[in-house]
Amino acid sequence: MPIIFIFQLIFFSELKQSYAEDFNLFGEAGQAYSIEISIGHPGQKLNVIVDTGSATLAIASYQRPDNDKYFHLKNSTSIYDSGQEIQAQYSQGTWVGKLVSDYVHFPSMPNVTEVRCDIALITKSHKFFMNGSGWQGLLGLAYLPVGAWGDNVIVGSWLDSMDHMLNKPMSFELKLCSVLGITNATHYGNLKILDDQISNNKSFMFRTPVLRKRWFVVGVLSVHVMSDTMSSVASKLKTGNNATYTNKTQSQSIYEINEGSCQRLNEQKSIVDSGTTNIRLPDDIFRQVVNELRNAAQTSNVLILDEFWYHGEAACWPEPQRWSLPRLAIHLLDFDAENQYFTLELPPQNYMRVVSARNNSGTGGSVSEFCYKLGLEAGGKETVLGYTAMEGLQVVFNRSAGWIGWRTSNCGPNATISGPYNTSSSLLVRCQLIEPLSDAAISIKAAQWTLFVISMVALGVLVYLLTPCIKMLIMKPLPRSQQISLSQAALVEQEGT
C-alpha cells in the first residue's frame, strides 16, 4: 500500500477516535444524516433522519424488502393508538399510516428528557425509503403544520412536546462534518438540543431570520461562483475550537445583489432543509452556476463530462481527487438589519460530493474507484439549502426567536463565513422577501383581524335590526294605530298574491 494512503488511514483513524464521543449522526454516501432513537417501553432502537424540512416523527411499522428493521407496535406496553389515519407527501416519496403516541428518547443524548409525543407509524410508502438505506424513518424538527395530515387530525411534533413538558422553548444545533477523509464515503455529525438561553449566545455567530415559521424559510440573496479576487482573504484552516471568521465588523458590500436573481431565488420559497442532500436552485440560476464551475474545471485541465454537471450522474477516478475548483458563495439576509447580509463560502469539498470510495491499492488485481456527484441540482422555482450547504459549519436553529445561526466548525470541509456587509437599501424590499414577524406581532395582527370581523358582523346585525325603524323614519308620520294596521295589511296582501 502506498505510504500516502497508510498515512491517511492512520490520520483519519485517529481523527475519528478523537471525535467519536461527539458523533451521534451518521449517514452513507448520498443519504442524509440519521440518529439512533428509542421508542416505547421496552425501547425499540431505530435510525431516523434529522429533517428540518418537516415536523413529524415518522417511523416504518412494516417490513420492507431491503430492510427488515421496523417498529413493532404490539411490543410496546406504553403505546396509545388513536386509530386515526394520516399521510404525508414529500419532494420525493409519499406514505400513509396511523397516528399513535409513545415515549421517545435518544441514547446518544442522555441529558435530553424522555417525552411522550405523537408518532406517525408508516404502514405503506411509495419511493420514500431509499433502497439499502440504513434508516427507518425521520425526525421532523420544523414548525407545524409542515408534516403529516389527516381528516380533523393535528399531528404534534417531538420538539413541541419537549417544549411543552419542560415549559420552555428549546433550540437545536447541527454540526455536520461530512466524510472524515478523501478515502471515506461515510459522513458524520452531531445533534445537540439546546436551551434557548444557551442558543441566544450570539458570539462568533452570524444569524439569518426565519421569514416564515412553517418551514425554515430564509432570505437567500445570491448563489454564485467566487472569483479569486472575491474569495475570502481569511480562508484559514480550522484548528481545535478556534473557529475563525473573515470579518465581524460591518463593511460595504463587495458584491452587488442582483434584484432579479434575488427575487427568483425566493419566488416560491427558500428553505434550510437537512433532509435534502443537495443545494437546489431555480433552473436558470442552476445553469449559470454550473456553467461557471464547468468552465473552471476545464481551465484546471479536469475532464468531467456534461452528464456529471447537468444530469446528476457520477464521475469516477482510480484515485481520490483533491479539488482546486473555486468556492461557492451563498449570501443570506442578516438578522440584525434588513440592509445587511453575510456570506457562506463553501469550498469544492462541499459541492463535489463523495458517493463511493473503494481503495483496493495493494490487494492485487482490484482497481480502486472513487466516485463523486455534483451537490447542486435544478429545482424549478424553489431554493433549498440541503445538508451540502451546512457541512463544515455549525448551524443553530432557534425556533422561538425565529433565526438560524451559522458559525464555522472544527470538522468537515474548510467552509468559512464573511460579513456582515452593508447595502444602500432594504434587501427585504429589493428582493420582495416576506418581512419576519415576531410571535407577539402575529398575535396582535390576529387579534386585530378577529376584532374587525366581529365588528363587521355586529354592524350587519345592527343594520338588519334597525332597518324597519329607518323605513318608518323616512315615511310620512301616521297615528300609531294606523301604522300597525297598514303594516299588517301590507303583509297579508303580500302573502295573498
Side-chain angles (χ1 to χ4, degrees), residues 221-222 224 230 247 249-258 331-332 339-343 418-425 427 430:
L221 310 178
S222 176
H224 66 92
M230 294 175 62
N247 186 11
T249 59
Q250 299 175 15
S251 63
Q252 194 63 29
S253 172
I254 59 175
Y255 176 83
E256 183 62 31
I257 300 297
N258 181 279
H331 301 310
L332 296 176
N339 68 325
Q340 290 182 5
Y341 70 89
F342 61 90
T343 304
S418 64
Y421 300 110
N422 288 326
T423 60
S424 58
S425 59
L427 293 166
R430 292 171 59 187

Side-chain angles (χ1 to χ4, degrees), residues 27-286:
E28 296 303 320
Q31 300 180 19
Y33 290 79
S34 63
I35 188 170
E36 185 181 63
I37 190 172
S38 179
I39 303 176
H41 291 160
Q44 299 180 44
K45 293 183 178 180
L46 302 162
N47 295 318
V48 292
I49 286 176
V50 176
D51 182 24
T52 61
S54 68
T56 303
L57 173 56
I59 301 292
S61 63
Y62 69 99
Q63 184 172 342
R64 311 193 314 271
D66 61 320
N67 194 320
D68 59 357
K69 193 174 183 180
Y70 61 97
F71 181 77
H72 297 263
L73 183 148
K74 294 182 179 180
N75 291 351
S76 176
T77 60
S78 54
I79 199 165
Y80 169 75
D81 187 350
S82 71
Q84 295 174 304
E85 293 187 358
I86 53 177
Q87 59 182 306
Q89 182 173 353
Y90 301 84
S91 57
Q92 177 179 324
T94 60
W95 57 256
V96 295
K98 58 182 178 179
L99 176 63
V100 303
S101 71
D102 211 335
Y103 289 98
V104 171
H105 80 278
F106 298 85
S108 61
M109 297 188 290
N111 294 330
V112 176
T113 308
E114 182 182 61
V115 62
R116 176 180 282 275
C117 68
D118 286 350
I119 303 172
L121 290 188
I122 301 173
T123 57
K124 186 178 180 180
S125 64
H126 176 67
K127 294 184 178 180
F128 177 71
F129 295 102
M130 298 175 59
N131 291 332
S133 61
W135 48 273
Q136 294 80 43
L138 55 82
L139 174 66
L141 297 172
Y143 299 94
L144 291 173
V146 179
W149 71 88
D151 292 336
N152 301 317
V153 178
I154 297 177
V155 183
S157 74
W158 169 77
L159 206 49
D160 283 341
S161 298
M162 178 68 67
D163 291 351
H164 180 73
M165 189 187 70
L166 298 177
N167 198 28
K168 60 180 179 180
M170 302 297 287
S171 302
F172 62 95
E173 179 187 75
L174 291 178
K175 177 181 178 181
L176 306 184
C177 301
S178 185
V179 298
L180 291 182
I182 58 178
T183 60
N184 189 347
T186 303
H187 45 255
Y188 304 86
N190 186 38
L191 168 67
K192 289 183 180 179
I193 306 300
L194 306 173
D195 187 297
D196 266 13
Q197 293 181 347
I198 297 175
S199 73
N200 280 326
N201 180 7
K202 308 177 188 66
S203 60
F204 302 110
M205 185 185 296
F206 290 88
R207 298 180 300 159
T208 190
V210 176
L211 300 175
R212 191 186 312 158
K213 289 186 175 181
R214 188 174 172 90
W215 296 273
F216 285 103
V217 178
V218 298
V220 179
L221 310 178
S222 176
V223 179
H224 66 92
V225 177
M226 300 184 71
S227 64
D228 292 337
T229 56
M230 294 175 62
S231 295
S232 171
V233 176
S235 181
K236 303 172 183 176
L237 290 174
K238 296 167 284 183
T239 57
N241 291 318
N242 298 322
T244 60
Y245 295 84
T246 306
N247 186 11
K248 283 298 290 181
T249 59
Q250 299 175 15
S251 63
Q252 194 63 29
S253 172
I254 59 175
Y255 176 83
E256 183 62 31
I257 300 297
N258 181 279
E259 292 183 11
S261 296
C262 179
Q263 292 171 12
R264 287 196 300 277
L265 282 165
N266 301 278
E267 181 177 351
Q268 185 168 328
K269 64 178 181 293
S270 297
I271 65 173
V272 180
D273 181 10
S274 63
T276 295
T277 300
N278 292 335
I279 299 171
R280 189 177 300 159
L281 301 172
D283 295 345
D284 58 333
I285 297 177
F286 165 79

